[in-house]
Amino acid sequence: MSKHSKKSSSLLHYPVLVVFSLFFVGLFALDLITPDRAYSEMENTTLSQRPALTQLSAKGLNSYFTAYTKYVKDQVFGRDQWISLQSVVETTLLQKEQNGGILLGKEHMMFPRTFGLLDSETRTLPKNTAAVESLCQRYPGKVNVLLAPAASDIYKENVPANAPLLDEDTYLDRLSAAVQAAGGRFVDVRQVLAAHKSEYIYYRTDHHWTTLGAYYAYGQLCAELGLTPFDTAAHTALTANSFYGTHYSKARTWNAVPDTITYYDLPNSLTIYNVTAAGQPTDGETTGLYDTDKLNVYDKYAMFLHGNNGLSRIEGEGTGKILVIKDSYANCFAPYLTANYAAIDVVDFRNYNYGLDQLIADNDYDQILVLYSFDSFKSDPYLYRAGVVG
């Protein structure tokens, strides 16, 4: 028997080794011919690109191999399918109640694994509270603060048993007292949302409230300001199906139930401004309220208000002006305000690097609304700008 035959015969005694070897050789070959991806829509994240070796020192080689390991992980062939397979094994076979930092609750609801404030949040939350207090003091009687509670605060019974989630109610109570003591109005929406919890007011797979949840919160604001609410019956409701949100991107459970986005067919215009170095609006692009092209991509929620623009204005049918200082929870909320105000100016500090006093002086707003989820309020590194004087 030839040496080649003996070697082949001996390999046959290790079929698992042969299969695994062929598998990894095939995977390596597929990686070589598969183009790298810059972005993962499913995970809503930028993927690592092939690193370059710039230094032949020990430090340079260490940095290169660290970056290359992350690159291989991000660009492995069938990455999305591997992540989904891992989720199936962990949640179905191992019966895990969490995956990817997401708690898997009853009625297919997903909740972030927030057991306490992060170290950074223990510093940011007091700063943001002080910024809002300062805003209330500078514009007494005009500032309304509406903080949306997390779905886990409304649907406590759907959270996996014994999960020690952050006690949001304690923090919201403190914020309410601080805002009112500073001369502002705290619009507490917890009770109205709890009263409608049997309805579809939070997405199952995403961290936002639904358009219906936003409407109930908006109704609470109207009640406190003496406004007539937007008449949903007078407008056509449109829907977009197969929405998988940010929680699903992390958990990737095989049995997730997709969400439905609802929005109203409104003719109002939205102007997205460019901003000068002094923070003043200049020429901008005028469009409709919704970027419906986003309904054809993974992040469908980005269709509301064309995403998180620094400064924009919605033209309404009401009277007067309101300034909305917000996170993305306000994106599906703001269209309702078209029934009450002639102009709704919207500021998102993630893309607006200025204070507010000059903008408020130039526009003489009737009301100012600070609308955030509590989750982003406690962590937003930019909200301090609301407290900047001048």
Side-chain angles (χ1 to χ4, degrees):
M1 184 180 292
S2 68
K3 290 183 179 180
H4 176 74
S5 298
K6 289 181 179 179
K7 187 174 182 180
S8 300
S9 177
S10 63
L11 285 175
L12 293 178
H13 291 296
Y14 305 97
V16 175
L17 176 62
V18 172
V19 170
F20 268 91
S21 299
L22 292 174
F23 171 78
F24 284 112
V25 168
L27 191 62
F28 178 73
L30 287 171
D31 280 338
L32 289 177
I33 64 175
T34 302
D36 289 349
R37 295 188 300 164
Y39 186 79
S40 170
E41 274 199 326
M42 184 71 73
E43 298 168 87
N44 194 25
T45 189
T46 300
L47 300 177
S48 300
Q49 300 301 296
R50 185 184 296 274
L53 179 60
T54 57
Q55 296 181 0
L56 288 176
S57 63
K59 182 178 179 181
L61 288 170
N62 182 64
S63 297
Y64 172 77
F65 284 116
T66 299
Y68 191 80
T69 299
K70 189 173 189 309
Y71 161 75
V72 170
K73 181 180 177 181
D74 279 5
Q75 300 294 343
V76 65
F77 178 78
R79 170 185 171 86
D80 291 343
Q81 289 71 33
W82 288 117
I83 294 174
S84 296
L85 178 60
Q86 178 186 8
S87 175
V88 170
V89 171
E90 292 185 349
T91 60
T92 305
L93 299 182
L94 302 182
Q95 296 293 300
K96 289 182 64 175
E97 292 186 323
Q98 59 178 297
N99 199 51
I102 298 298
L103 299 174
L104 308 176
K106 297 176 183 177
E107 299 183 14
H108 297 280
M109 294 192 75
M110 300 179 182
F111 306 98
R113 187 177 177 272
T114 306
F115 293 165
L117 295 182
L118 301 175
D119 288 343
S120 61
E121 293 172 341
T122 62
R123 298 186 294 271
T124 302
L125 178 56
K127 290 180 182 179
N128 291 347
T129 302
V132 170
E133 287 177 303
S134 174
L135 188 68
C136 292
Q137 291 163 353
R138 300 200 312 274
Y139 303 99
K142 283 191 174 184
V143 180
N144 308 273
V145 179
L146 194 164
L147 298 184
S152 56
D153 194 58
I154 302 299
Y155 293 96
K156 293 181 173 68
E157 69 280 3
N158 285 352
V159 177
N162 303 317
L165 290 184
L166 177 71
D167 181 11
E168 284 193 14
D169 287 333
T170 297
Y171 291 99
L172 289 171
D173 289 342
R174 292 175 186 169
L175 285 164
S176 175
V179 167
Q180 294 179 75
R185 177 186 290 106
F186 187 84
V187 183
D188 195 336
V189 298
R190 286 173 288 178
Q191 187 172 351
V192 69
L193 291 174
H196 292 278
K197 66 190 301 181
S198 62
E199 302 173 51
Y200 186 39
I201 61 173
Y202 281 86
Y203 294 117
R204 289 178 293 269
T205 69
D206 192 65
H207 63 288
H208 293 102
W209 54 19
T210 65
T211 309
L212 180 60
Y215 183 75
Y216 287 128
Y218 158 77
Q220 183 66 31
L221 176 67
C222 288
E224 299 199 17
L225 294 181
L227 302 174
T228 301
F230 178 96
D231 184 3
T232 57
H235 299 85
T236 301
L238 304 174
T239 59
N241 299 316
S242 301
F243 171 46
Y244 290 91
T246 53
H247 292 340
Y248 174 78
S249 296
K250 298 174 182 177
R252 301 292 291 276
T253 53
W254 65 273
N255 60 343
V257 177
D259 283 297
T260 298
I261 289 179
T262 298
Y263 60 104
Y264 291 93
D265 187 13
L266 301 178
N268 306 79
S269 65
L270 170 72
T271 300
I272 303 169
Y273 291 107
N274 296 314
V275 180
T276 68
Q280 297 304 301
T282 179
D283 60 306
E285 175 188 0
T286 299
T287 182
L289 289 182
Y290 311 113
D291 181 3
T292 53
D293 286 343
K294 289 292 193 297
L295 297 177
N296 299 316
V297 301
Y298 185 78
D299 185 14
K300 292 177 170 54
Y301 188 84
M303 59 88 66
F304 289 108
L305 303 191
H306 295 250
N308 300 312
N309 306 294
L311 176 63
S312 54
R313 170 170 288 183
I314 302 170
E315 299 297 333
E317 287 87 35
T319 58
K321 299 178 181 179
I322 186 172
L323 172 64
V324 180
I325 304 160
K326 61 90 178 177
D327 70 359
S328 56
Y329 263 62
N331 293 8
C332 66
F333 181 107
Y336 294 128
L337 294 169
T338 58
N340 310 111
Y341 296 95
I344 302 102
D345 285 0
V346 182
V347 164
D348 191 312
F349 279 125
R350 285 169 289 188
N351 296 296
Y352 186 81
N353 304 321
Y354 318 95
L356 295 172
D357 285 348
Q358 190 60 55
L359 182 68
I360 293 172
D362 290 344
N363 289 278
D364 190 25
Y365 297 108
D366 298 281
Q367 296 289 336
I368 299 170
L369 173 63
V370 179
L371 199 168
Y372 276 70
S373 67
F374 173 72
D375 184 63
S376 60
F377 184 89
K378 66 182 172 59
S379 60
D380 188 342
Y382 309 111
L383 183 54
Y384 75 90
R385 293 173 184 148
V388 175
V389 178

